[in-house]
Amino acid sequence: MVTNLPAEAKVKWAEVVACRSTPEKIRLMREFISLVPKHKGTSKLLANVKRRIAELERELEKSKARRKGSRAGFAIPKEGAGQIVIIGPPNVGKSSLLASVTNASPEISPLPFTTQKPTPGILQYEDVQFQLIEAPAIVEGASEGRMEGTQVLSLARNADGLIIMVDLSENALEQFAMISSELEKTGILIEKPEGEVEVSRRAYGVGIQIIGGGTLVDCTYEEIKRLLNSYRITSALVKISGKVKLDDIEDSLFSSNVYKPTIIVANKSDSPSAEINFKILKGALRGRNLPLMAVSCLNNAGLEKLGENIFRMLEVIRVYTKEPSSKKTSEKPLVVKSRASVLDVAKKLHSEMYKGFKYARIWGPSAKYPGEKVGSGHALMDGDIVEIHY
Ligand SMILES: Nc1nc2c(ncn2[C@@H]2O[C@H](COP(=O)(O)OP(=O)(O)OP(=O)(O)O)[C@@H](O)[C@H]2O)c(=O)[nH]1
Ligand SMILES: [Mg+2]
């Protein structure tokens, strides 16, 4: 609940957004805070803005350090159908997992902090490849920059999904609580919120456009336009998914929250105290929508379902394509978001196909009969074969 900010605060925020210099932006954000009345309805907003200030201050420090010649960031180019970052405390078995399920051979050692750099590997699940990246271990205080925590957390922010790894020979619940709290402090959500909003400002010309498949719960287009105009935003794309409220739209102007689908992998299920530690962890997660797997990388146990679980958590489907004149379908699937339409696939394949789209024929789970003729909006399913006519 952040509505009813004084007009001068909204105008100040417009200045914050327009400002391109980091030190100046920080100064304007502080002025903004001083203009916001302090009460329950504004506490979330203030916390978000304070967090952004802290982030910007850290960025400033980092860029100073870079100029002095310290080492570069952690980003790794994406490969395959999704990038999954393995994040966890030291010594829980992150390298062991990478070695067990991918083609990588990282160093495994009983010493903590063995892995110092993000290390990628490819996991093959049926005919799909996922890129797994072991992140250097994180510790409490990572979100404030301890032990290169900032870089690891930005690696997580960039990923398509996360594996949080904990150790069942220790207090796995405590480890999970630490990791999820560090993620939360940097605005990374591991459970899907009811609604998601992303406001992308455009220089001019588009007006306020609402896109995406979400629904507006308590407001009209006009109300959104009025709200954004009061922040001097007159040209923007508002992407919504799920159930979105007017407050969510206002919140999104101040926060940089992102949702990352997450699986919890509890390792060392072979250890003597594993059973009790797993029971405690499982109990604490009851009612939360977080897949949990007990595994032993040492004994190669419980890992069979990892590929399938990643595929499910990313909410994707495989679509095979076929040329109208040919009987052969593509060997490699196109991996797209579930509920993708025929037109989404055409867009991915070729701009001509998209622009000149006439109809498609479908074989497979979403077809009423083999070769069914469908229009651009037809929703595809995992395993479909698509033949596009244009
Ligand atoms: N008992 C048991 N030990 C394991 C298992 N998996 C890994 N280990 C041991 O745990 C220690 C740490 O394993 P790593 O894979 O190096 O752990 P890590 O999380 O990559 O550690 P850092 O990179 O240092 O953060 C090693 O001695 C492994 O042999 C397991 O399933 N059971
Ligand atoms: Mg390691």
Side-chain angles (χ1 to χ4, degrees):
M1 265 270 288
V2 294
T3 31
N4 296 328
L5 285 188
E8 58 201 8
K10 291 183 174 182
V11 169
K12 185 60 76 182
W13 191 253
E15 284 177 41
V16 168
V17 171
C19 177
R20 289 285 162 263
S21 134
T22 306
E24 180 66 7
K25 212 181 186 80
I26 293 173
R27 192 180 62 75
L28 290 168
M29 281 171 135
R30 292 223 167 90
E31 284 178 18
F32 168 79
I33 287 179
S34 69
L35 294 171
V36 175
K38 316 287 179 284
H39 55 74
K40 209 166 150 226
T42 60
S43 63
K44 195 165 136 200
L45 159 93
L46 287 168
N48 273 326
V49 175
K50 284 179 188 158
R51 200 184 69 216
R52 292 265 297 264
I53 292 177
E55 274 167 13
L56 288 176
E57 282 174 335
R58 275 199 298 278
E59 260 173 40
L60 260 186
E61 262 170 47
K62 242 194 331 192
S63 66
K64 274 188 207 147
R66 251 200 306 277
R67 258 177 266 135
K68 283 189 198 141
S70 73
R71 73 182 166 106
F74 268 180
I76 291 190
K78 290 192 180 183
E79 272 181 52
Q83 187 181 71
I84 312 297
V85 168
I86 308 167
I87 189 166
N91 233 13
V92 296
K94 300 180 295 301
S95 297
S96 306
L97 178 69
L98 199 71
S100 300
V101 300
T102 77
N103 58 349
S105 343
E107 187 183 344
I108 295 168
S109 146
L111 293 172
F113 302 107
T114 301
T115 307
Q116 301 260 323
K117 280 202 165 84
T119 310
I122 296 289
L123 177 150
Q124 185 81 35
Y125 164 66
E126 295 181 353
D127 52 2
V128 186
Q129 298 189 323
F130 295 114
Q131 181 187 45
L132 262 53
I133 297 181
E134 177 188 2
I138 66 166
V139 294
E140 194 171 344
S143 55
E144 277 126 48
R146 248 183 101 194
M147 299 290 304
E148 306 206 88
T150 318
Q151 278 115 304
V152 173
L153 290 164
S154 73
L155 193 68
R157 178 173 277 274
N158 253 313
D160 300 307
L162 304 177
I163 290 176
I164 294 182
M165 197 158 186
V166 292
D167 180 345
L168 290 173
S169 72
E170 311 240 344
N171 188 335
L173 175 58
E174 207 173 271
Q175 293 179 342
F176 168 75
M178 185 275 281
I179 301 291
S180 57
S181 130
E182 296 300 328
L183 288 167
E184 201 185 314
K185 282 184 198 156
T186 46
I188 300 175
L189 313 175
I190 58 173
E191 278 167 289
K192 200 174 195 158
E194 269 215 357
E196 287 179 88
V197 185
E198 199 186 312
V199 177
S200 334
R201 290 156 219 258
R202 289 288 179 266
Y204 56 87
V206 300
I208 302 295
Q209 272 184 40
I210 299 184
I211 57 171
T215 40
L216 299 171
V217 177
D218 66 347
C219 59
T220 61
Y221 168 77
E222 276 308 316
E223 282 171 296
I224 293 175
K225 196 170 158 189
R226 222 175 301 136
L227 170 78
L228 294 178
N229 287 348
S230 75
Y231 283 95
R232 299 200 171 164
I233 302 171
T234 50
S235 186
L237 297 179
V238 183
K239 191 173 171 193
I240 60 171
S241 58
K243 291 181 184 158
V244 168
K245 299 200 201 82
L246 192 62
D247 280 346
D248 299 329
I249 292 175
E250 192 164 19
D251 281 346
S252 79
L253 301 176
F254 300 97
S255 81
S256 48
N257 284 355
V258 287
Y259 159 63
K260 297 290 160 186
T262 299
I263 296 175
I264 302 162
V265 173
N267 188 31
K268 310 197 188 179
S269 63
D270 55 276
S271 62
S273 49
E275 201 173 325
I276 178 74
N277 284 332
F278 186 71
K279 219 171 147 188
I280 294 169
L281 179 63
K282 197 171 171 192
L285 292 172
R286 191 166 299 130
R288 296 182 64 176
N289 198 5
L290 285 165
L292 168 65
M293 302 170 65
V295 308
S296 164
C297 295
L298 189 72
N299 298 342
N300 229 338
L303 292 165
E304 316 76 36
K305 290 259 173 201
L306 186 63
E308 187 186 331
N309 287 349
I310 292 174
F311 186 81
R312 285 229 190 109
M313 94 168 163
L314 294 178
E315 298 187 80
V316 287
I317 55 170
R318 288 163 290 188
V319 175
Y320 303 81
T321 53
K322 166 179 167 328
E323 305 243 343
S325 54
S326 152
K327 283 212 160 69
K328 258 182 68 187
T329 55
S330 63
E331 251 171 60
K332 275 196 183 167
L334 205 62
V335 178
V336 292
K337 280 271 154 213
S338 55
R339 293 177 301 276
S341 69
V342 171
L343 199 64
D344 292 328
V345 168
K347 205 189 238 170
K348 273 208 156 190
L349 289 172
H350 205 299
S351 64
E352 306 269 301
M353 265 186 194
Y354 170 64
K355 282 188 216 138
F357 181 88
K358 290 205 185 88
Y359 66 93
R361 289 196 186 278
I362 309 280
W363 290 259
S366 83
K368 282 197 207 96
Y369 51 86
E372 187 197 356
K373 190 172 168 180
V374 298
S376 59
H378 178 82
L380 294 162
M381 289 166 120
D382 188 39
D384 276 347
I385 298 170
V386 185
E387 179 186 278
I388 292 171
H389 293 254
Y390 62 105

Short mmCIF file of all heavy atoms in Angstrom, two decimals, residues 17-18 20 199-209 232-237:
data_model
loop_
_atom_site.label_atom_id
_atom_site.label_comp_id
_atom_site.label_asym_id
_atom_site.label_seq_id
_atom_site.Cartn_x
_atom_site.Cartn_y
_atom_site.Cartn_z
N VAL A 17 14.40 9.00 -11.52
CA VAL A 17 14.42 8.10 -12.67
C VAL A 17 15.18 8.72 -13.85
O VAL A 17 15.93 8.06 -14.55
CB VAL A 17 12.98 7.73 -13.08
CG1 VAL A 17 12.96 6.98 -14.39
CG2 VAL A 17 12.34 6.90 -11.97
N ALA A 18 14.99 10.02 -14.03
CA ALA A 18 15.62 10.69 -15.18
C ALA A 18 17.12 10.86 -14.99
O ALA A 18 17.86 11.03 -15.95
CB ALA A 18 14.96 12.04 -15.41
N ARG A 20 20.99 10.37 -14.55
CA ARG A 20 21.92 9.36 -15.10
C ARG A 20 23.21 9.22 -14.28
O ARG A 20 24.01 8.32 -14.51
CB ARG A 20 22.30 9.69 -16.55
CG ARG A 20 21.16 9.48 -17.53
CD ARG A 20 20.94 7.99 -17.80
NE ARG A 20 19.64 7.74 -18.39
CZ ARG A 20 18.57 7.37 -17.69
NH1 ARG A 20 18.64 7.20 -16.39
NH2 ARG A 20 17.42 7.17 -18.30
N VAL A 199 7.45 -2.31 -15.47
CA VAL A 199 7.15 -1.08 -16.22
C VAL A 199 8.42 -0.67 -16.97
O VAL A 199 9.43 -0.36 -16.35
CB VAL A 199 6.71 0.06 -15.27
CG1 VAL A 199 6.47 1.36 -16.04
CG2 VAL A 199 5.46 -0.34 -14.51
N SER A 200 8.39 -0.73 -18.30
CA SER A 200 9.55 -0.26 -19.07
C SER A 200 9.20 1.07 -19.73
O SER A 200 8.29 1.14 -20.55
CB SER A 200 9.95 -1.24 -20.17
OG SER A 200 9.55 -2.54 -19.87
N ARG A 201 9.93 2.08 -19.31
CA ARG A 201 9.67 3.40 -19.87
C ARG A 201 10.14 3.46 -21.31
O ARG A 201 11.14 2.85 -21.68
CB ARG A 201 10.43 4.46 -19.05
CG ARG A 201 9.83 4.64 -17.67
CD ARG A 201 10.87 5.18 -16.72
NE ARG A 201 10.71 4.53 -15.42
CZ ARG A 201 10.12 5.11 -14.39
NH1 ARG A 201 9.69 6.34 -14.47
NH2 ARG A 201 9.99 4.46 -13.26
N ARG A 202 9.39 4.19 -22.13
CA ARG A 202 9.79 4.41 -23.52
C ARG A 202 9.98 5.91 -23.70
O ARG A 202 9.30 6.70 -23.05
CB ARG A 202 8.70 3.91 -24.47
CG ARG A 202 8.59 2.40 -24.51
CD ARG A 202 9.80 1.81 -25.24
NE ARG A 202 9.75 0.35 -25.29
CZ ARG A 202 10.34 -0.45 -24.41
NH1 ARG A 202 10.99 0.06 -23.39
NH2 ARG A 202 10.28 -1.76 -24.54
N ALA A 203 10.92 6.27 -24.56
CA ALA A 203 11.24 7.68 -24.71
C ALA A 203 9.99 8.50 -25.05
O ALA A 203 9.69 9.49 -24.41
CB ALA A 203 12.30 7.87 -25.78
N TYR A 204 9.23 8.09 -26.01
CA TYR A 204 8.02 8.81 -26.36
C TYR A 204 7.17 7.92 -27.27
O TYR A 204 7.64 6.90 -27.77
CB TYR A 204 8.34 10.12 -27.09
CG TYR A 204 9.19 9.91 -28.32
CD1 TYR A 204 8.62 9.61 -29.56
CD2 TYR A 204 10.60 9.95 -28.22
CE1 TYR A 204 9.40 9.37 -30.67
CE2 TYR A 204 11.39 9.70 -29.33
CZ TYR A 204 10.77 9.42 -30.56
OH TYR A 204 11.56 9.16 -31.65
N GLY A 205 5.94 8.33 -27.43
CA GLY A 205 5.16 7.77 -28.54
C GLY A 205 4.28 6.57 -28.26
O GLY A 205 3.29 6.40 -28.96
N VAL A 206 4.56 5.73 -27.29
CA VAL A 206 3.71 4.54 -27.15
C VAL A 206 2.53 4.79 -26.22
O VAL A 206 1.60 3.99 -26.17
CB VAL A 206 4.49 3.28 -26.69
CG1 VAL A 206 5.56 2.93 -27.68
CG2 VAL A 206 5.05 3.44 -25.29
N GLY A 207 2.56 5.91 -25.48
CA GLY A 207 1.52 6.12 -24.47
C GLY A 207 1.70 5.09 -23.37
O GLY A 207 2.80 4.57 -23.18
N ILE A 208 0.62 4.79 -22.64
CA ILE A 208 0.71 3.73 -21.63
C ILE A 208 0.07 2.49 -22.23
O ILE A 208 -1.13 2.47 -22.50
CB ILE A 208 -0.02 4.15 -20.33
CG1 ILE A 208 0.55 5.45 -19.75
CG2 ILE A 208 0.02 3.02 -19.31
CD1 ILE A 208 1.97 5.38 -19.27
N GLN A 209 0.88 1.47 -22.45
CA GLN A 209 0.35 0.23 -23.04
C GLN A 209 0.47 -0.91 -22.06
O GLN A 209 1.54 -1.11 -21.49
CB GLN A 209 1.16 -0.12 -24.28
CG GLN A 209 0.65 0.52 -25.54
CD GLN A 209 1.44 0.04 -26.75
OE1 GLN A 209 1.78 -1.14 -26.85
NE2 GLN A 209 1.76 0.96 -27.63
N ARG A 232 4.86 11.32 -13.67
CA ARG A 232 5.37 11.89 -14.93
C ARG A 232 5.79 10.82 -15.92
O ARG A 232 6.72 11.02 -16.70
CB ARG A 232 6.52 12.85 -14.66
CG ARG A 232 6.08 14.02 -13.79
CD ARG A 232 7.02 15.16 -13.93
NE ARG A 232 6.46 16.33 -13.25
CZ ARG A 232 7.16 17.40 -12.93
NH1 ARG A 232 8.43 17.45 -13.24
NH2 ARG A 232 6.57 18.42 -12.33
N ILE A 233 5.18 9.66 -15.83
CA ILE A 233 5.44 8.63 -16.83
C ILE A 233 4.28 8.68 -17.81
O ILE A 233 3.13 8.40 -17.44
CB ILE A 233 5.52 7.23 -16.18
CG1 ILE A 233 6.61 7.22 -15.12
CG2 ILE A 233 5.77 6.15 -17.24
CD1 ILE A 233 6.63 5.97 -14.27
N THR A 234 4.56 9.07 -19.05
CA THR A 234 3.49 9.19 -20.03
C THR A 234 3.66 8.19 -21.17
O THR A 234 2.77 8.00 -21.97
CB THR A 234 3.45 10.61 -20.63
OG1 THR A 234 4.78 10.93 -21.06
CG2 THR A 234 3.00 11.62 -19.59
N SER A 235 4.84 7.56 -21.21
CA SER A 235 5.09 6.62 -22.29
C SER A 235 5.81 5.40 -21.71
O SER A 235 6.96 5.49 -21.30
CB SER A 235 5.96 7.31 -23.35
OG SER A 235 6.10 6.48 -24.45
N ALA A 236 5.09 4.28 -21.66
CA ALA A 236 5.69 3.09 -21.04
C ALA A 236 4.93 1.83 -21.43
O ALA A 236 3.74 1.88 -21.73
CB ALA A 236 5.69 3.23 -19.52
N LEU A 237 5.65 0.70 -21.43
CA LEU A 237 5.00 -0.60 -21.60
C LEU A 237 4.87 -1.21 -20.21
O LEU A 237 5.85 -1.33 -19.49
CB LEU A 237 5.85 -1.52 -22.47
CG LEU A 237 6.09 -1.07 -23.92
CD1 LEU A 237 6.98 -2.06 -24.65
CD2 LEU A 237 4.76 -0.93 -24.66
#
